[in-house]
Amino acid sequence: MTNDYDVVIVGGSLAGRYAALLATQFKAKVALVESQVDYGLIYRQAMGQIAHLAQSGDNLANFGLPSIHTDKDAKLLSAINWEEAMLYSQGVVANIQAQTSPSVLAAKGVDVIFGSGQFSNTPDLAFAINQRRLRGRTYLLANGSRPAIPEIEGLKATGYLTLANIWQAFKAAKPPQDWVIIGGVPQSIEIAQTLAKLGCRVILIINHPYLIPHIDPEISQLLLAQLETDGIRVLTEAIVSQVRKIDDKKWLQVGDKAIEVDEIVVATAQQPNIESLNLPVANVKVSQQRLLINEKLQTTNRRVYACGDVIGGYDFANIAQYEAKIAIKNALFLPKFKVNYSHIPWAIFSEPTLTRVGLTPKQAQRRFGNKEIIVLRQYYKSTAAAQLENQMTGVCELIVSRKGEILGATIFGKEARELINLIALAMSQKIRVQQLENFSPIYPSFSEILEKIAGEWNYQQLHHDLARQEWLESFFYFRRSWNL
């Protein structure tokens, strides 16, 4: 049985469902194939909120906690009713899922097919599933990724958890108290803080010099200091060589250190879910387990597009949705839209939150030269809102050109995810930094820091202009003197 569609979406992610809904707005005939949607991000966010409330003692009854504050040790971890906590998380996921549920998709005209399939080229290209052949004018791969497990001696035999199944550990009568996280992705930082808030002892192992590459080292150090303040032991430039299980404990050899823990979480990288798709018959090429795509999100088969973490990189929902917009418009119409990540923000949901958009100082210097950029910084302690709420840990960094064009920003602090959205909007609309001086935010609010950073730019420009004026005056003075 063969069915024809404008686009066949190989889903299994929120981006896949978002793409299907978007395609229906263009009156397209859409098929969505999915086996299981990964809601791990929502679960982690919900559990992080539980940990925050449990640590602060707020709304404890909602999560089966006693009405009194508990000590920050194993008592807090054991005090939480994890059955109630999981019900809360499942409720959050259900509410979000309802917005793009199969019934909603079907009502919009999407043909939703459950199961796993693969490409077939007999007699022509189609996606085969459940004895059906879904023949599309175009195809979109949006089937996400899964944790990549490093080759470490003894790891598989000893056992481990990943970001996808970590919460299973809390169903035990006695949840693990000592954890090690073999990290490398932003979510490893998030989960480390969540566990620490629950009173667990946490060691985070990173194999590179900084927590997160490609951000300002000063800001990376601020985040590292915050993790250490939270009681997290961070080992950078550290490599796990082997893992063993002795009695009921797990042992890791990290350089010359032997570490004993209750549980191991592997969060080093993600790998795309592409092995079962039979991509060679669709002439879709892969290099080093990554899809080869162009800036229009086309694979090596121009009829097959891809979006989200199936194409590699970190798992950020907003970036996946942005890519889905580009891919669907190119798949349904002329392929003329190109991805431009320069004004798309991303965030690490640490506490405080770390966010970024555009270029870092080093990237801007390499592209434009040292003399053509200005790095502006304002610290949270300079704002009234930070003082009032005792949230003074934080910094706002803007990278701008000499003409005031905003090239990038990194914000670490309270409400950073909202502030970075404003900067990203300004960048997309080509609003220059000097125009932010006209921004009069509610006082007190954390948005005040944007007004202050615009003032810093104007201050630097004034001094730059004065210095230039003094140089010109000196130049013409000596020239007149020489002519005399």
Side-chain angles (χ1 to χ4, degrees):
M1 176 178 169
T2 301
N3 300 98
D4 292 335
Y5 300 91
D6 293 311
V7 59
V8 174
I9 301 172
V10 182
S13 67
L14 290 174
R17 290 189 173 185
Y18 175 81
L21 281 176
L22 183 61
T24 62
Q25 295 178 13
F26 296 117
K27 309 301 181 183
K29 188 177 181 182
V30 187
L32 173 64
V33 177
E34 62 178 39
S35 53
Q36 183 177 1
V37 176
D38 180 12
Y39 288 95
L41 170 65
I42 307 302
Y43 273 109
R44 290 195 298 273
Q45 292 290 309
M47 300 304 290
Q49 180 67 5
I50 290 171
H52 173 75
L53 295 175
Q55 185 187 48
S56 63
D58 294 335
N59 301 322
L60 298 178
N62 293 339
F63 308 106
L65 284 165
S67 58
I68 59 173
H69 287 274
T70 55
D71 297 330
K72 189 183 178 184
D73 56 16
K75 294 179 183 177
L76 178 57
L77 187 66
S78 60
I80 296 177
N81 184 326
W82 284 102
E83 184 177 351
E84 294 292 329
M86 290 304 296
L87 286 174
Y88 163 77
S89 300
Q90 290 164 4
V92 172
V93 169
N95 290 336
I96 294 173
Q97 184 185 32
Q99 301 173 35
T100 57
S101 66
S103 58
V104 169
L105 292 168
K108 296 284 187 179
V110 178
D111 187 2
V112 183
I113 302 106
F114 297 101
S116 300
Q118 62 180 8
F119 282 103
S120 167
N121 59 0
T122 305
D124 51 10
L125 185 62
F127 196 81
I129 179 172
N130 300 342
Q131 299 181 337
R132 293 176 60 182
R133 299 183 74 253
L134 312 177
R135 190 166 55 192
R137 184 167 56 84
T138 56
Y139 301 84
L140 174 61
L141 304 181
N143 50 324
S145 63
R146 65 185 186 279
I149 308 304
E151 293 290 337
I152 299 174
E153 181 185 344
L155 178 63
K156 185 175 181 181
T158 302
Y160 58 88
L161 297 173
T162 68
L163 295 174
N165 62 9
I166 182 174
W167 302 114
Q168 294 178 4
F170 296 103
K171 295 179 181 179
K174 185 180 179 182
Q177 182 65 38
D178 293 287
W179 295 72
V180 68
I181 301 172
I182 307 174
V185 297
Q187 291 81 4
S188 61
I189 295 173
E190 299 169 9
I191 201 64
Q193 277 194 315
T194 297
L195 291 171
K197 289 175 187 174
L198 293 171
C200 297
R201 290 179 290 272
V202 183
I203 300 173
L204 176 60
I205 300 174
I206 306 290
N207 65 1
H208 38 74
Y210 299 104
L211 282 173
I212 298 294
H214 316 307
I215 66 170
D216 191 314
E218 179 186 345
I219 296 176
S220 181
Q221 284 299 114
L222 282 175
L223 177 56
L224 174 60
Q226 182 62 53
L227 294 181
E228 291 175 340
T229 300
D230 294 338
I232 300 166
R233 182 183 174 192
V234 181
L235 304 178
T236 56
E237 295 186 276
I239 297 176
V240 179
S241 57
Q242 61 176 315
V243 178
R244 292 284 183 271
K245 188 168 185 179
I246 303 175
D247 297 328
D248 60 343
K249 292 287 186 178
K250 298 181 180 182
W251 289 80
L252 299 91
Q253 188 67 41
V254 185
D256 59 355
K257 299 181 180 68
I259 299 174
E260 178 191 76
V261 294
D262 297 324
E263 192 54 86
I264 299 170
V265 179
V266 176
T268 53
Q270 294 288 112
Q271 65 182 52
N273 294 320
I274 55 177
E275 290 84 354
S276 63
L277 298 181
N278 199 16
L279 294 179
V281 305
N283 195 29
V284 174
K285 295 182 180 178
V286 177
S287 176
Q288 296 180 342
Q289 293 188 326
R290 298 186 67 160
L291 292 169
L292 296 178
I293 59 168
N294 62 18
E295 56 191 358
K296 298 175 183 177
L297 299 178
Q298 293 170 308
T299 65
T300 48
N301 181 336
R302 297 304 174 93
R303 293 171 56 197
V304 181
Y305 294 79
C307 70
D309 50 317
V310 72
I311 64 178
Y314 294 140
D315 181 10
F316 293 127
N318 64 310
I319 294 178
Q321 289 193 357
Y322 166 73
E323 292 168 344
K325 291 178 188 177
I326 299 294
I328 282 294
K329 288 191 288 187
N330 283 336
L332 296 180
F333 307 106
L334 292 176
K336 63 179 183 178
F337 300 97
K338 300 177 181 180
V339 289
N340 176 10
Y341 299 105
S342 63
H343 60 270
I344 306 299
W346 56 264
I348 299 174
F349 298 108
S350 53
E351 192 172 318
T353 305
L354 174 64
T355 62
R356 213 196 91 188
V357 64
L359 302 178
T360 65
K362 285 187 177 180
Q363 290 170 338
Q365 287 165 3
R366 285 196 296 266
R367 184 174 299 184
F368 301 104
N370 289 345
K371 295 182 180 180
E372 296 302 317
I373 70 162
I374 302 172
V375 178
L376 305 171
R377 286 191 186 92
Q378 282 289 320
Y379 293 89
Y380 267 53
K381 61 186 179 182
S382 67
T383 66
Q387 295 283 347
L388 288 167
E389 296 190 27
N390 194 27
Q391 296 286 344
M392 291 177 285
T393 299
V395 60
C396 176
E397 177 185 85
L398 255 62
I399 300 92
V400 300
S401 71
R402 284 288 176 189
K403 294 182 179 179
E405 179 186 359
I406 304 174
L407 305 174
T410 302
I411 305 177
F412 174 61
K414 179 78 170 177
E415 303 296 343
R417 68 184 80 175
E418 303 298 339
L419 295 175
I420 205 71
N421 287 336
L422 294 175
I423 295 297
L425 178 62
M427 291 173 65
S428 68
Q429 299 302 308
K430 302 187 184 304
I431 296 173
R432 296 182 182 271
V433 67
Q434 55 265 45
Q435 294 173 279
L436 294 179
E437 192 177 31
N438 299 324
F439 180 51
S440 299
I442 291 174
Y443 181 89
S445 70
F446 287 94
S447 299
E448 180 190 356
I449 204 167
L450 301 182
E451 184 182 39
K452 285 182 175 292
I453 213 160
E456 174 67 17
W457 187 88
N458 289 328
Y459 175 80
Q460 290 199 23
Q461 284 299 105
L462 176 62
H463 278 257
H464 178 267
D465 293 342
L466 287 174
R468 185 171 182 272
Q469 182 179 350
E470 289 175 0
W471 183 87
L472 289 173
E473 288 175 352
S474 299
F475 172 77
F476 286 115
Y477 172 78
F478 284 113
R479 183 176 178 179
R480 286 194 301 270
S481 300
W482 182 79
N483 288 336
L484 288 174

